[in-house]
Amino acid sequence: MDMGRDPDRTVFHLKTLYEVVRELARIRDTREALRIFLPMAMGPLGIVSGFAVLRQGKSGELFTLARGLDSEIEARLSAGAKALLIKFFPPGFKSLGAEVATLTGRHLGRNEMLPDNIQALFALPVDDEIHVLVGFGPRLSGEGFGPDEKELLGGLISNLLTTLRNAGATGRALILNEELQRRNHDLERALDEARQAHAETDVQAFRLRALYDASFEMSGLGEPEEVLLSFLLTALGAVGGSGGYVAFLDDERGETLVRDRGMGREVDWQTPEIRSALLGVFVSLKDRIPQNMESRWATDLEAVERLPGRPGQALAFALDQRRRGVLVMGAKIGGGEYSPEEQSLCVSLSSMFMVSLDNALRFKTIARLNEGLTQRNLELQRTLDQLTSARQEIALLQRAKEAILAAVRGGHRRLDRVSLHDVLFITISSVVLAVLFNYANPSGIPLIPPALLAPSPETVDVDQALAEATNGSAVIVDARPQELLLAGSLPGSLHVPLPLFDFIYTMRLAPLPARTRFLVYGRTLSSHYDTEVALKLKAMGHDNVAVIDGPVESRLKRKP
């Protein structure tokens, strides 16, 4: 600028430049820069109209600003803004090294895309994505733009270009910053989600580990009390419970098993009140009562508060409808409520607990049955030993019988020659042999049959006996030896020969109730088997025993 031509105008122009630069220096938005610039450039030069067209961004967003133009011209300018910009900034235009294109003169008004009275037009290549056209109309004085005015406009446009480039860079920086902030926010959110997922994974791993340890430990326990304690400790440790207990009501065995930790006081678990409180938890569940091998948390606080101790939560479980129980846990060590995940973990633990407890109960039942079978086998072995001894005694007696018969037959042949000495000898020899036999054999043979000394048992006739046996009120016992069975037996009778009484009684008569009525028959001329068997039955605790009196041979029937 030539300062020698008009110092005042020069100063005025410099002040104008200073004011415009000062105002534009604080602008960070391209549209705001154009709004500030256009009136500040028109005012000092007395320009009556002006406009600015802006295209920015990859999408080519357009912005049109007009001052001093009527609405029709402004609308036409807006409609042709895109084509006007393409004329100066064709597709593929590169702003690197490009300079501001400046057109001045009245001929600009003949361009139909520009306002009619346009006097100066500036094309600003801000960058590859921001293109700006700024046009000015005539001056209010009607004079054209002189060298000083053109120089001032060039300075103003140059500052505007700088401001637009800074604003464009700032805008892109803001956009980039927003994008970075968005990405940082996304990363932070993803990091939080990853941390939460990691924490949930740790919790799930802990719970799975707890389930595995509980399954491994409880499956190896054989006593129900040990299973109860293992389940209680595992549940309390897994959810951080301060204490509690597990009570198991076994109605099959008529017993209540309890294991507790941290109760703080003794509780008599066998009282009806405690049993009622435990069953009250099941009643409170109503239609949600756990079925076989199921468990459910109680939701009725009144039912839970009636339980012993300081209950916080109660889990009802059922192996079946006669074997049920309740897991009761107090407050958490760290405070707060048990979460749904912790309650779900306890339900999973209870499933394995019920399987282990059922196995332990079955194992205990099998052990008890084995013990009974062992005792039974010992009793049978003793019976077999007695039977073997009895058979040996019978064989010995049979041989003695044959020897005596042989002696009697021999004696009969020499009967005429029997003397008093022979009779005495035989009698004394028999007594000595009997005494020696009884001395050598603990079972012995009584010299006088017990039946002869015992009171006579009740007697019934054969018709009454058969009637009672037919209506099921009595059991007929055939006490005769085996060889007499060939002649037949009374219908429905049980054959219990006297020598085998102990063995057959154990196998067939012992299971019958003590009040069973027995009617015994089996008498020969020489032996009262019926009376002796009747006495043995009374000795076994059967008081309702009678002997069938009278001949029964006509009523005997052979078995097929």
Side-chain angles (χ1 to χ4, degrees), residues 168-478:
T170 301
R172 284 192 293 274
L174 290 174
I175 293 174
L176 180 60
N177 184 51
E178 291 177 355
E179 179 67 17
L180 290 176
Q181 288 182 350
R182 185 184 63 79
R183 291 185 179 182
N184 286 337
H185 177 72
D186 293 341
L187 289 175
E188 290 176 354
R189 185 175 58 187
L191 182 59
D192 291 340
E193 293 175 352
R195 288 172 178 169
Q196 184 176 0
H198 183 70
E200 291 178 354
T201 301
D202 289 344
V203 172
Q204 292 296 331
F206 169 75
R207 291 170 180 169
L208 291 175
R209 183 67 183 179
L211 289 173
Y212 170 76
D213 291 343
S215 175
F216 180 77
E217 181 175 350
M218 287 190 287
S219 62
L221 300 176
E223 293 295 332
E225 293 84 353
E226 295 177 344
V227 178
L228 293 177
L229 182 58
S230 176
F231 171 55
L232 175 62
L233 297 180
T234 302
L236 292 177
V239 301
S242 59
Y245 56 87
V246 54
F248 177 58
L249 306 175
D250 190 349
D251 293 340
E252 285 189 357
R253 293 174 173 79
E255 60 184 6
T256 300
L257 304 178
V258 180
R259 284 296 180 269
D260 65 90
R261 281 294 183 273
M263 286 288 292
R265 66 183 181 88
E266 295 293 333
V267 176
D268 185 1
W269 298 99
Q270 308 302 325
T271 62
E273 292 77 11
I274 296 297
R275 177 181 174 83
S276 176
L278 293 172
L279 293 178
V281 176
F282 287 85
V283 175
S284 68
L285 290 171
K286 299 179 181 178
D287 57 344
R288 297 175 57 249
I289 291 180
Q291 301 302 312
N292 296 352
M293 306 304 286
E294 285 185 351
S295 61
R296 295 186 187 280
W297 285 100
T299 56
D300 188 338
L301 296 181
E302 293 184 0
V304 175
E305 291 174 352
R306 284 195 292 270
L307 294 170
R310 296 185 293 274
Q313 294 282 335
L315 178 66
F317 60 89
L319 275 64
D320 50 45
Q321 296 310 303
R322 291 179 57 80
R323 299 181 298 172
R324 295 168 289 182
V326 179
L327 167 66
V328 178
M329 296 195 296
K332 296 184 66 175
I333 296 177
E337 302 292 335
Y338 292 101
S339 66
E341 292 77 12
E342 291 171 335
Q343 292 183 339
S344 176
L345 175 60
C346 288
V347 171
S348 300
L349 288 172
S350 70
S351 298
M352 291 183 294
F353 156 69
M354 287 187 285
V355 173
S356 299
L357 180 60
D358 189 40
N359 291 336
L361 292 171
R362 293 177 186 275
F363 177 78
K364 193 172 184 179
T365 300
I366 293 172
R368 186 168 58 249
L369 292 175
N370 286 337
E371 183 178 354
L373 288 175
T374 301
Q375 184 64 29
R376 189 69 173 172
N377 287 336
L378 292 176
E379 294 175 356
L380 289 176
Q381 185 61 44
R382 284 196 295 269
T383 302
L384 289 174
D385 292 342
Q386 294 175 358
L387 180 60
T388 302
S389 176
R391 293 183 61 184
Q392 292 174 351
E393 294 172 5
I394 292 172
L396 179 60
L397 291 174
Q398 187 67 28
R399 289 194 294 273
K401 176 183 175 183
E402 292 175 355
I404 292 172
L405 289 176
V408 171
R409 292 191 188 98
H412 179 71
R413 286 193 296 270
R414 59 182 181 87
L415 183 60
D416 296 336
R417 299 192 301 253
V418 173
S419 65
L420 179 61
H421 294 87
D422 294 334
V423 174
L424 290 175
F425 175 76
I426 293 171
T427 303
I428 293 172
S429 298
S430 300
V431 172
V432 171
L433 287 175
V435 171
L436 290 176
F437 178 78
N438 286 345
Y439 178 77
N441 192 327
S443 300
I445 300 176
L447 297 179
I448 300 175
L452 297 178
L453 303 178
S456 299
E458 175 190 354
T459 59
V460 296
D461 57 38
V462 63
D463 292 332
Q464 181 182 350
L466 291 175
E468 292 185 22
T470 301
N471 61 26
S473 60
V475 176
I476 297 178
V477 176
D478 184 353

Side-chain angles (χ1 to χ4, degrees), residues 1 26 75 116 143 378 428 446 456 487 497:
M1 181 177 293
R26 61 181 179 83
D116 296 339
E143 299 176 352
L378 292 176
I428 293 172
S456 299

Side-chain angles (χ1 to χ4, degrees), residues 120-165:
L121 181 65
F122 300 92
L124 287 71
V126 180
D127 56 32
D128 291 344
E129 295 183 357
I130 301 177
H131 302 144
V132 176
L133 291 176
V134 177
F136 295 102
R139 302 180 64 186
L140 185 61
S141 61
E143 299 176 352
F145 295 109
D148 294 341
E149 287 75 14
K150 291 181 180 178
E151 184 177 3
L152 176 59
L153 281 176
L156 293 173
I157 291 298
S158 177
N159 282 283
L160 175 62
L161 178 61
T162 300
T163 300
L164 291 174
R165 285 175 173 171

